Amino acid sequence: MIFDKAYFDALRAVDTPSIANAIEVVLGKRQGDGFTRKTVLAANTSLAPICGYARTAKIKAAVPTTEKTEVIATRRMAYYEYMANSSEHSIAVIEDLDYPECVGAYWGEVNTAVHKGFGLEGTLTNGVMRDLDAMAEGYQVIAGSIGPSHAFVRIKEIDTPVSLFGLTIHPGDMIHADKHGAVVIPKAAQAGLVEAIKKMIDREKIVLDAAKQPGFNFESFKQAWAEFEAQREK
């Protein structure tokens, strides 16, 4: 199914926890997987969430390579060509194979400018970022850590499944990520997600509005919660 800009704008208008909840609304059940399980860091917490299709790769940086220089260089260019040929609404999803002892920052001033120029929406990585004040404007990086050096960073694999913070992501998976972490949006939930977000917001508003009223107490909470539960059944 092909989704337009309005669809992705609607998903970026809410945070990742809201997307996780909306997925459960569409599927009709709670989810025990499909989301990250470790703390992440956002380069700029004021930016909107990133949402799009995964373009995947793996890197390594902690120790020098034993591969020939020309092999590394060829793979590097193949990586950039792969990213440059991304479809609309794509996210760079990069697994650092050194995790959890990542040391080499692949994401900083240069790579955020390059990937933004290629048209990518942002980056999700378990690796290191740097140049926080010099990253491309509006380009979000959700990473595992911050550090000063690129060390011996190089590309190891392109367009293969990756694992970040306990979440397995395949090339082409639809991802939503922000300062809270990331979720994979299952195909079965994608078509109904925008409507589910609206229903969820309207339902939660019942309790939130009640809690903000003067004199809010347990009895008014019970009444609001009963209405909340009734809406859940619709």
Side-chain angles (χ1 to χ4, degrees), residues 59-80:
I59 62 172
K60 194 170 180 60
V63 297
T65 183
T66 57
E67 296 180 295
K68 293 183 178 180
T69 301
E70 55 268 29
V71 172
I72 297 297
T74 298
R75 194 182 298 135
R76 181 190 306 124
M77 286 300 105
Y79 165 86
Y80 283 120

PDB file of all heavy atoms in Angstrom, residues 59-80:
ATOM      1  N   ILE A  59      27.702  -0.906  10.835  1.00  0.00           N
ATOM      2  CA  ILE A  59      29.028  -0.293  10.888  1.00  0.00           C
ATOM      3  C   ILE A  59      29.839  -0.911  12.020  1.00  0.00           C
ATOM      4  O   ILE A  59      29.310  -1.612  12.872  1.00  0.00           O
ATOM      5  CB  ILE A  59      28.939   1.236  11.095  1.00  0.00           C
ATOM      6  CG1 ILE A  59      28.267   1.558  12.449  1.00  0.00           C
ATOM      7  CG2 ILE A  59      28.188   1.901   9.952  1.00  0.00           C
ATOM      8  CD1 ILE A  59      28.311   3.032  12.809  1.00  0.00           C
ATOM      9  N   LYS A  60      31.131  -0.610  12.014  1.00  0.00           N
ATOM     10  CA  LYS A  60      32.026  -1.032  13.097  1.00  0.00           C
ATOM     11  C   LYS A  60      33.119   0.022  13.210  1.00  0.00           C
ATOM     12  O   LYS A  60      33.511   0.607  12.202  1.00  0.00           O
ATOM     13  CB  LYS A  60      32.614  -2.413  12.804  1.00  0.00           C
ATOM     14  CG  LYS A  60      33.273  -3.081  14.003  1.00  0.00           C
ATOM     15  CD  LYS A  60      33.599  -4.538  13.700  1.00  0.00           C
ATOM     16  CE  LYS A  60      34.255  -5.224  14.893  1.00  0.00           C
ATOM     17  NZ  LYS A  60      33.384  -5.224  16.086  1.00  0.00           N
ATOM     18  N   ALA A  61      33.620   0.250  14.440  1.00  0.00           N
ATOM     19  CA  ALA A  61      34.575   1.350  14.595  1.00  0.00           C
ATOM     20  C   ALA A  61      35.621   1.154  15.681  1.00  0.00           C
ATOM     21  O   ALA A  61      36.612   1.876  15.728  1.00  0.00           O
ATOM     22  CB  ALA A  61      33.814   2.647  14.895  1.00  0.00           C
ATOM     23  N   ALA A  62      35.438   0.187  16.565  1.00  0.00           N
ATOM     24  CA  ALA A  62      36.280   0.109  17.759  1.00  0.00           C
ATOM     25  C   ALA A  62      37.725  -0.284  17.471  1.00  0.00           C
ATOM     26  O   ALA A  62      38.646   0.172  18.158  1.00  0.00           O
ATOM     27  CB  ALA A  62      35.671  -0.860  18.763  1.00  0.00           C
ATOM     28  N   VAL A  63      37.943  -1.106  16.457  1.00  0.00           N
ATOM     29  CA  VAL A  63      39.295  -1.576  16.146  1.00  0.00           C
ATOM     30  C   VAL A  63      39.585  -1.363  14.659  1.00  0.00           C
ATOM     31  O   VAL A  63      38.662  -1.306  13.840  1.00  0.00           O
ATOM     32  CB  VAL A  63      39.464  -3.070  16.493  1.00  0.00           C
ATOM     33  CG1 VAL A  63      39.297  -3.292  17.989  1.00  0.00           C
ATOM     34  CG2 VAL A  63      38.473  -3.925  15.720  1.00  0.00           C
ATOM     35  N   PRO A  64      40.860  -1.242  14.288  1.00  0.00           N
ATOM     36  CA  PRO A  64      41.191  -1.069  12.868  1.00  0.00           C
ATOM     37  C   PRO A  64      40.731  -2.256  12.038  1.00  0.00           C
ATOM     38  O   PRO A  64      40.661  -3.386  12.515  1.00  0.00           O
ATOM     39  CB  PRO A  64      42.719  -0.966  12.878  1.00  0.00           C
ATOM     40  CG  PRO A  64      43.077  -0.561  14.273  1.00  0.00           C
ATOM     41  CD  PRO A  64      42.040  -1.204  15.153  1.00  0.00           C
ATOM     42  N   THR A  65      40.425  -1.997  10.782  1.00  0.00           N
ATOM     43  CA  THR A  65      39.994  -3.055   9.882  1.00  0.00           C
ATOM     44  C   THR A  65      41.169  -3.876   9.382  1.00  0.00           C
ATOM     45  O   THR A  65      42.307  -3.394   9.311  1.00  0.00           O
ATOM     46  CB  THR A  65      39.241  -2.469   8.676  1.00  0.00           C
ATOM     47  OG1 THR A  65      38.786  -3.536   7.852  1.00  0.00           O
ATOM     48  CG2 THR A  65      40.139  -1.546   7.860  1.00  0.00           C
ATOM     49  N   THR A  66      40.897  -5.130   9.031  1.00  0.00           N
ATOM     50  CA  THR A  66      41.909  -5.973   8.391  1.00  0.00           C
ATOM     51  C   THR A  66      41.640  -6.086   6.893  1.00  0.00           C
ATOM     52  O   THR A  66      42.373  -6.761   6.183  1.00  0.00           O
ATOM     53  CB  THR A  66      41.894  -7.383   9.022  1.00  0.00           C
ATOM     54  OG1 THR A  66      40.582  -7.936   8.902  1.00  0.00           O
ATOM     55  CG2 THR A  66      42.287  -7.318  10.490  1.00  0.00           C
ATOM     56  N   GLU A  67      40.561  -5.439   6.430  1.00  0.00           N
ATOM     57  CA  GLU A  67      40.234  -5.472   5.013  1.00  0.00           C
ATOM     58  C   GLU A  67      41.079  -4.465   4.231  1.00  0.00           C
ATOM     59  O   GLU A  67      41.571  -3.476   4.786  1.00  0.00           O
ATOM     60  CB  GLU A  67      38.747  -5.164   4.806  1.00  0.00           C
ATOM     61  CG  GLU A  67      37.821  -6.188   5.416  1.00  0.00           C
ATOM     62  CD  GLU A  67      36.357  -5.839   5.177  1.00  0.00           C
ATOM     63  OE1 GLU A  67      35.893  -4.814   5.697  1.00  0.00           O
ATOM     64  OE2 GLU A  67      35.687  -6.608   4.450  1.00  0.00           O
ATOM     65  N   LYS A  68      41.208  -4.691   2.944  1.00  0.00           N
ATOM     66  CA  LYS A  68      41.978  -3.787   2.096  1.00  0.00           C
ATOM     67  C   LYS A  68      41.263  -2.449   1.949  1.00  0.00           C
ATOM     68  O   LYS A  68      40.031  -2.373   1.971  1.00  0.00           O
ATOM     69  CB  LYS A  68      42.190  -4.420   0.722  1.00  0.00           C
ATOM     70  CG  LYS A  68      43.089  -5.650   0.746  1.00  0.00           C
ATOM     71  CD  LYS A  68      43.310  -6.187  -0.660  1.00  0.00           C
ATOM     72  CE  LYS A  68      44.250  -7.394  -0.634  1.00  0.00           C
ATOM     73  NZ  LYS A  68      44.487  -7.945  -1.990  1.00  0.00           N
ATOM     74  N   THR A  69      42.050  -1.401   1.773  1.00  0.00           N
ATOM     75  CA  THR A  69      41.518  -0.048   1.669  1.00  0.00           C
ATOM     76  C   THR A  69      40.495   0.065   0.547  1.00  0.00           C
ATOM     77  O   THR A  69      39.444   0.701   0.715  1.00  0.00           O
ATOM     78  CB  THR A  69      42.654   0.960   1.429  1.00  0.00           C
ATOM     79  OG1 THR A  69      43.589   0.885   2.517  1.00  0.00           O
ATOM     80  CG2 THR A  69      42.111   2.378   1.333  1.00  0.00           C
ATOM     81  N   GLU A  70      40.782  -0.560  -0.594  1.00  0.00           N
ATOM     82  CA  GLU A  70      39.874  -0.449  -1.732  1.00  0.00           C
ATOM     83  C   GLU A  70      38.535  -1.157  -1.459  1.00  0.00           C
ATOM     84  O   GLU A  70      37.490  -0.753  -1.969  1.00  0.00           O
ATOM     85  CB  GLU A  70      40.507  -0.995  -3.008  1.00  0.00           C
ATOM     86  CG  GLU A  70      41.016  -2.422  -2.931  1.00  0.00           C
ATOM     87  CD  GLU A  70      42.477  -2.518  -2.536  1.00  0.00           C
ATOM     88  OE1 GLU A  70      42.958  -1.633  -1.812  1.00  0.00           O
ATOM     89  OE2 GLU A  70      43.133  -3.493  -2.967  1.00  0.00           O
ATOM     90  N   VAL A  71      38.551  -2.215  -0.648  1.00  0.00           N
ATOM     91  CA  VAL A  71      37.324  -2.913  -0.283  1.00  0.00           C
ATOM     92  C   VAL A  71      36.446  -2.005   0.573  1.00  0.00           C
ATOM     93  O   VAL A  71      35.234  -1.879   0.343  1.00  0.00           O
ATOM     94  CB  VAL A  71      37.633  -4.221   0.468  1.00  0.00           C
ATOM     95  CG1 VAL A  71      36.348  -4.852   1.016  1.00  0.00           C
ATOM     96  CG2 VAL A  71      38.350  -5.205  -0.450  1.00  0.00           C
ATOM     97  N   ILE A  72      37.064  -1.360   1.555  1.00  0.00           N
ATOM     98  CA  ILE A  72      36.344  -0.428   2.428  1.00  0.00           C
ATOM     99  C   ILE A  72      35.786   0.740   1.625  1.00  0.00           C
ATOM    100  O   ILE A  72      34.628   1.140   1.791  1.00  0.00           O
ATOM    101  CB  ILE A  72      37.264   0.091   3.546  1.00  0.00           C
ATOM    102  CG1 ILE A  72      37.720  -1.054   4.453  1.00  0.00           C
ATOM    103  CG2 ILE A  72      36.561   1.178   4.361  1.00  0.00           C
ATOM    104  CD1 ILE A  72      36.609  -1.740   5.188  1.00  0.00           C
ATOM    105  N   ALA A  73      36.601   1.288   0.722  1.00  0.00           N
ATOM    106  CA  ALA A  73      36.174   2.438  -0.077  1.00  0.00           C
ATOM    107  C   ALA A  73      35.024   2.082  -1.009  1.00  0.00           C
ATOM    108  O   ALA A  73      34.073   2.858  -1.173  1.00  0.00           O
ATOM    109  CB  ALA A  73      37.361   2.981  -0.883  1.00  0.00           C
ATOM    110  N   THR A  74      35.092   0.920  -1.626  1.00  0.00           N
ATOM    111  CA  THR A  74      34.021   0.483  -2.527  1.00  0.00           C
ATOM    112  C   THR A  74      32.715   0.283  -1.780  1.00  0.00           C
ATOM    113  O   THR A  74      31.642   0.698  -2.235  1.00  0.00           O
ATOM    114  CB  THR A  74      34.425  -0.837  -3.225  1.00  0.00           C
ATOM    115  OG1 THR A  74      35.601  -0.606  -4.012  1.00  0.00           O
ATOM    116  CG2 THR A  74      33.307  -1.335  -4.121  1.00  0.00           C
ATOM    117  N   ARG A  75      32.798  -0.320  -0.597  1.00  0.00           N
ATOM    118  CA  ARG A  75      31.594  -0.544   0.196  1.00  0.00           C
ATOM    119  C   ARG A  75      31.015   0.790   0.681  1.00  0.00           C
ATOM    120  O   ARG A  75      29.794   0.957   0.751  1.00  0.00           O
ATOM    121  CB  ARG A  75      31.908  -1.456   1.382  1.00  0.00           C
ATOM    122  CG  ARG A  75      30.651  -2.004   2.069  1.00  0.00           C
ATOM    123  CD  ARG A  75      31.009  -2.870   3.269  1.00  0.00           C
ATOM    124  NE  ARG A  75      31.780  -4.026   2.877  1.00  0.00           N
ATOM    125  CZ  ARG A  75      32.866  -4.443   3.526  1.00  0.00           C
ATOM    126  NH1 ARG A  75      33.317  -3.789   4.569  1.00  0.00           N
ATOM    127  NH2 ARG A  75      33.508  -5.516   3.093  1.00  0.00           N
ATOM    128  N   ARG A  76      31.896   1.727   1.010  1.00  0.00           N
ATOM    129  CA  ARG A  76      31.431   3.048   1.439  1.00  0.00           C
ATOM    130  C   ARG A  76      30.627   3.725   0.340  1.00  0.00           C
ATOM    131  O   ARG A  76      29.543   4.272   0.582  1.00  0.00           O
ATOM    132  CB  ARG A  76      32.610   3.929   1.832  1.00  0.00           C
ATOM    133  CG  ARG A  76      32.203   5.329   2.320  1.00  0.00           C
ATOM    134  CD  ARG A  76      33.405   6.253   2.467  1.00  0.00           C
ATOM    135  NE  ARG A  76      34.417   5.654   3.317  1.00  0.00           N
ATOM    136  CZ  ARG A  76      35.689   5.450   2.953  1.00  0.00           C
ATOM    137  NH1 ARG A  76      36.093   5.782   1.731  1.00  0.00           N
ATOM    138  NH2 ARG A  76      36.548   4.913   3.786  1.00  0.00           N
ATOM    139  N   MET A  77      31.127   3.688  -0.876  1.00  0.00           N
ATOM    140  CA  MET A  77      30.408   4.320  -1.983  1.00  0.00           C
ATOM    141  C   MET A  77      29.110   3.581  -2.300  1.00  0.00           C
ATOM    142  O   MET A  77      28.107   4.197  -2.665  1.00  0.00           O
ATOM    143  CB  MET A  77      31.302   4.388  -3.223  1.00  0.00           C
ATOM    144  CG  MET A  77      32.394   5.451  -3.133  1.00  0.00           C
ATOM    145  SD  MET A  77      31.732   7.145  -2.935  1.00  0.00           S
ATOM    146  CE  MET A  77      32.067   7.430  -1.176  1.00  0.00           C
ATOM    147  N   ALA A  78      29.130   2.260  -2.156  1.00  0.00           N
ATOM    148  CA  ALA A  78      27.905   1.486  -2.369  1.00  0.00           C
ATOM    149  C   ALA A  78      26.851   1.881  -1.328  1.00  0.00           C
ATOM    150  O   ALA A  78      25.651   1.964  -1.641  1.00  0.00           O
ATOM    151  CB  ALA A  78      28.203  -0.009  -2.282  1.00  0.00           C
ATOM    152  N   TYR A  79      27.302   2.132  -0.103  1.00  0.00           N
ATOM    153  CA  TYR A  79      26.381   2.581   0.951  1.00  0.00           C
ATOM    154  C   TYR A  79      25.752   3.919   0.581  1.00  0.00           C
ATOM    155  O   TYR A  79      24.523   4.083   0.654  1.00  0.00           O
ATOM    156  CB  TYR A  79      27.136   2.708   2.275  1.00  0.00           C
ATOM    157  CG  TYR A  79      26.390   3.502   3.321  1.00  0.00           C
ATOM    158  CD1 TYR A  79      25.467   2.891   4.155  1.00  0.00           C
ATOM    159  CD2 TYR A  79      26.588   4.879   3.456  1.00  0.00           C
ATOM    160  CE1 TYR A  79      24.767   3.620   5.111  1.00  0.00           C
ATOM    161  CE2 TYR A  79      25.888   5.617   4.403  1.00  0.00           C
ATOM    162  CZ  TYR A  79      24.986   4.987   5.222  1.00  0.00           C
ATOM    163  OH  TYR A  79      24.286   5.731   6.150  1.00  0.00           O
ATOM    164  N   TYR A  80      26.575   4.882   0.178  1.00  0.00           N
ATOM    165  CA  TYR A  80      26.034   6.198  -0.155  1.00  0.00           C
ATOM    166  C   TYR A  80      25.109   6.138  -1.371  1.00  0.00           C
ATOM    167  O   TYR A  80      24.093   6.837  -1.420  1.00  0.00           O
ATOM    168  CB  TYR A  80      27.167   7.200  -0.394  1.00  0.00           C
ATOM    169  CG  TYR A  80      27.797   7.695   0.886  1.00  0.00           C
ATOM    170  CD1 TYR A  80      29.149   7.493   1.151  1.00  0.00           C
ATOM    171  CD2 TYR A  80      27.044   8.368   1.838  1.00  0.00           C
ATOM    172  CE1 TYR A  80      29.726   7.958   2.325  1.00  0.00           C
ATOM    173  CE2 TYR A  80      27.606   8.833   3.018  1.00  0.00           C
ATOM    174  CZ  TYR A  80      28.954   8.621   3.253  1.00  0.00           C
ATOM    175  OH  TYR A  80      29.518   9.074   4.433  1.00  0.00           O
TER     176      TYR A  80
END
